Amino acid sequence: MNNGPLLFLGFFLAIAFSWTGIVVTNLVQQDKAGTTQPFFDSASETTVPLPMSGAAKQGQLVYQDLGCVYCHTQQVRNPVSRDPGAESIDVARGWGNRPNVARDYIHDGRVFLGTMRTGPDLRNVGQRLPSESWHFNHLYNPVITSPGSIMPPYPFLFEVREIVGEPSPKALSLPPEYAPPEGFEVVPNARGEALVAYLLGLRTDYDLPEAPGGTQ
């Protein structure tokens, strides 16, 4: 008995179901995501989330260029349990006040959710660590702010230059063991400043109807 037609039909149906499940479902989800709008809170008369500043957008490109996504995620996850009162392990770690939802990312363009958590989640790093000088020192050499850190330093985001006249107000305040020679200073370059602007803008300090708790 020739089972060729039957095998062909089974193969065709398997491909058709796979295509429907993967391609069509993703297209439907993308279409839904594209219609998600910022939320206007009539009580406070604010719209959230706010779009990124121009400097932060440039910093996002630096973040992408440096491959930060390979070690850091940007997603405070939901609780594993569906039990009422269950707490997100990421919230318990202090990485955010609430889990992230799709609306949090509508201004991101390319979303850097990430998969590896070699370092801490950064979705709320601007809220958790709001000091600009902390981020500059951390990028210059992470062990300055985080002893024992395995994150590599990024000295190419800075310029070591001779002080001419008055020191720059942008000069880093470094511990003596990391400070440049006498008469020199360390200042961030344009890429360093943009990356810090981006990191400081990563914050979920607002509430959404589908995700309250951001302002707690």
Side-chain angles (χ1 to χ4, degrees):
M1 181 177 180
N2 185 4
N3 293 325
L6 187 60
L7 290 173
F8 174 79
L9 179 62
F11 180 76
F12 174 79
L13 290 176
I15 294 295
F17 280 120
S18 299
W19 184 85
T20 303
I22 297 174
V23 178
V24 175
T25 302
N26 283 336
L27 288 175
V28 170
Q29 290 177 344
Q30 288 179 8
D31 185 58
K32 288 182 178 178
T35 61
T36 303
Q37 298 295 319
F39 170 66
F40 178 72
D41 185 349
S42 57
S44 61
E45 296 190 341
T46 56
T47 300
V48 290
L50 294 173
M52 278 190 269
S53 68
K57 286 183 179 179
Q58 294 178 19
Q60 187 187 34
L61 295 177
V62 179
Y63 187 92
Q64 174 182 327
D65 182 40
L66 296 180
C68 304
V69 69
Y70 292 112
C71 290
H72 295 280
T73 54
Q74 288 192 28
Q75 181 186 23
V76 175
R77 295 169 293 186
N78 285 309
V80 175
S81 171
R82 295 179 180 271
D83 294 340
E87 186 179 26
S88 159
I89 189 173
D90 293 341
V91 172
R93 286 170 170 165
W95 288 351
N97 291 341
R98 65 165 173 83
N100 287 115
V101 294
R103 201 195 302 248
D104 292 324
Y105 302 93
I106 58 175
H107 295 305
D108 281 30
R110 170 165 286 188
V111 178
F112 296 106
L113 288 182
T115 57
M116 297 293 293
R117 296 195 171 216
T118 306
D121 187 273
L122 298 181
R123 191 61 195 176
N124 287 281
V125 70
Q127 180 182 7
R128 193 169 71 243
L129 297 164
S131 168
E132 184 182 63
S133 61
W134 187 95
H135 287 283
F136 281 132
N137 283 4
H138 188 70
L139 290 170
Y140 185 68
N141 196 326
V143 297
I144 295 175
T145 56
S146 306
S149 173
I150 61 172
M151 176 174 152
Y154 294 88
F156 51 85
L157 296 176
F158 301 86
E159 177 187 359
V160 179
R161 67 188 185 189
E162 186 175 6
I163 300 173
V164 179
E166 295 294 323
S168 170
K170 296 181 180 179
L172 272 59
S173 178
L174 296 168
E177 60 270 34
Y178 297 98
E182 184 72 23
F184 286 79
E185 62 184 3
V186 179
V187 295
N189 58 28
R191 295 181 75 208
E193 290 193 75
L195 180 56
V196 170
Y198 173 65
L199 294 173
L200 290 175
L202 293 175
R203 48 198 309 140
T204 315
D205 53 353
Y206 52 85
D207 295 331
L208 292 173
E210 68 273 33
T215 56
Q216 292 179 354

